[in-house]
Amino acid sequence: MCVDTRILALLCDPDTHDALELGDDCLVNPKSGRRYPVRDEIAVFVGEVSGQNRKYQTMYDRLAPGYDFAERVYYWIRRKPSHRKEYVADLEIREGARVLEVSVGTGANVPFLPKNIEFFGLDLSWGMLQKCKRNLERWRRQADLFHGEGERLPFRDAIFDCVFHVGGINFFNDKARAIQEMIRVARPGTKVMIVDETEKVVNRDYTKNPLTRKYYAGQGKMASCPVDLVPAEMSDVQAREIIGGRMYCLTFSKP
Ligand SMILES: C[S@@+](CC[C@H](N)C(=O)[O-])C[C@H]1O[C@@H](n2cnc3c(N)ncnc32)[C@H](O)[C@@H]1O
């Protein structure tokens, strides 16, 4: 991303929701003077990261170089090489839609999305974003990437036609706040989708894998579908298991 006036008009300070201005290699909140750097064409909204977010930021920074390969092998062994199709089709993305993936990771969902959309991806791990940037160049897919936390989205209210998340929310510092943020940035009528691993997969696979076990030991109970955190005013709330019970898929619409 080269932050231009088109993008700037969609951004805000993730803490105060004030409008931002362009500075030299940064974005500036003119009210507070707070500056957000732009590095490698990615605006950085991550400050001090704590708790679970810090733990998993460290893990994904370490795993980023081998993430895509390891993931392909994992699903190939389990005979689910097209597992992403199971939920992406359900997003019902229209041509020209503005789409946000919270926790975009290495961008592995992008090849399954329509080409003619305006795609925005945000992630907490700089390593995953760097891998995502390289993948997008290789796939010749255009996207705007942001380094940020799901609990503090740097986007203005009601600007996205589709908002989705895959694979991280189970262990966010504040799941409820992340869900509220996804709702805030979605336009009325938008479908929001949240997909993540079920408890049995975390307990069975991630706590046994030598690369991940130290991060997931004793964490299985946190992996539950956050349907109870969806505000009552949301409509068409649906929760189901997908990919042979490996993941849950929660969807709802913003009225
Ligand atoms: C399993 S990966 C999934 C990536 C991608 N969505 C996919 O489907 O392949 C989980 C991602 O969540 C990100 N993440 C973890 N905690 C986060 C947070 N609090 N805010 C934003 N992203 C976060 C990680 O950095 C990682 O890239």
Side-chain angles (χ1 to χ4, degrees):
M1 171 187 69
C2 177
V3 181
D4 55 17
T5 48
R6 176 187 71 91
I7 299 290
L8 190 66
L10 303 173
L11 298 179
C12 67
D13 187 305
D15 296 315
T16 63
H17 297 170
D18 294 325
L20 298 173
E21 290 179 354
L22 283 176
D24 287 337
D25 294 327
C26 68
L27 300 166
V28 186
N29 178 337
K31 285 196 189 161
S32 66
R34 185 159 178 195
R35 302 164 83 83
Y36 296 100
V38 179
R39 290 193 203 115
D40 287 345
E41 303 184 332
I42 298 173
V44 177
F45 294 98
V46 170
E48 194 84 347
V49 181
S50 61
Q52 294 273 112
N53 285 6
R54 177 86 194 117
K55 175 174 161 183
Y56 289 100
Q57 181 189 41
T58 306
M59 183 187 85
Y60 281 107
D61 278 341
R62 288 195 181 139
L63 294 182
Y67 178 87
D68 291 334
F69 179 72
E71 213 237 3
R72 261 199 307 278
V73 171
Y74 180 87
Y75 280 103
W76 182 79
I77 290 170
R78 285 158 184 85
R79 296 168 195 241
K80 298 273 179 201
S82 307
H83 68 285
R84 292 178 188 274
K85 287 186 185 160
E86 274 195 44
Y87 53 84
V88 168
D90 226 22
L91 286 169
E92 299 162 353
I93 298 174
R94 285 181 293 99
E95 292 201 2
R98 184 180 294 143
V99 178
L100 171 66
E101 181 173 1
V102 176
S103 305
V104 66
T106 61
N109 288 307
V110 175
F112 299 90
L113 304 176
K115 287 204 168 117
N116 52 352
I117 57 171
E118 236 183 294
F119 183 77
F120 289 63
L122 172 138
D123 203 279
L124 179 58
S125 158
W126 184 252
M128 295 291 268
L129 284 173
Q130 290 296 303
K131 190 79 195 290
C132 183
K133 200 165 168 244
R134 288 198 293 278
N135 281 340
L136 293 168
E137 279 161 14
R138 201 155 48 86
W139 300 329
R140 296 175 198 273
R141 295 290 299 244
Q142 197 282 326
D144 295 297
L145 299 179
F146 303 85
H147 190 208
E149 284 175 283
E151 294 94 332
R152 301 166 53 246
L153 295 180
F155 307 110
R156 295 200 190 178
D157 295 1
I159 59 165
F160 290 104
D161 304 301
C162 171
V163 180
F164 73 102
H165 165 88
V166 181
I169 198 166
N170 279 339
F171 306 108
F172 277 18
N173 275 352
D174 192 338
K175 300 184 207 191
R177 188 159 164 208
I179 292 172
Q180 279 154 14
E181 281 290 87
M182 286 186 238
I183 294 168
R184 178 181 68 77
V185 302
R187 286 195 173 117
T190 294
K191 188 183 224 182
V192 176
M193 177 183 282
I194 296 171
V195 174
D196 208 348
E197 274 87 9
T198 51
E199 181 177 349
K200 68 172 175 251
V201 169
V202 174
N203 284 335
R204 194 181 58 201
D205 299 348
Y206 296 174
T207 57
K208 309 241 163 40
N209 182 328
L211 291 174
T212 55
R213 66 180 166 218
K214 80 169 176 185
Y215 298 99
Y216 291 104
Q219 299 280 69
K221 278 197 291 298
M222 294 181 69
S224 65
C225 178
V227 65
D228 51 320
L229 301 179
V230 177
E233 61 274 23
M234 296 300 119
S235 62
D236 202 16
V237 181
Q238 294 182 32
R240 63 197 169 97
E241 289 199 350
I242 57 172
I243 317 173
R246 307 196 60 74
M247 301 188 110
Y248 59 78
C249 177
L250 170 63
T251 54
F252 55 88
S253 296
K254 175 173 171 172

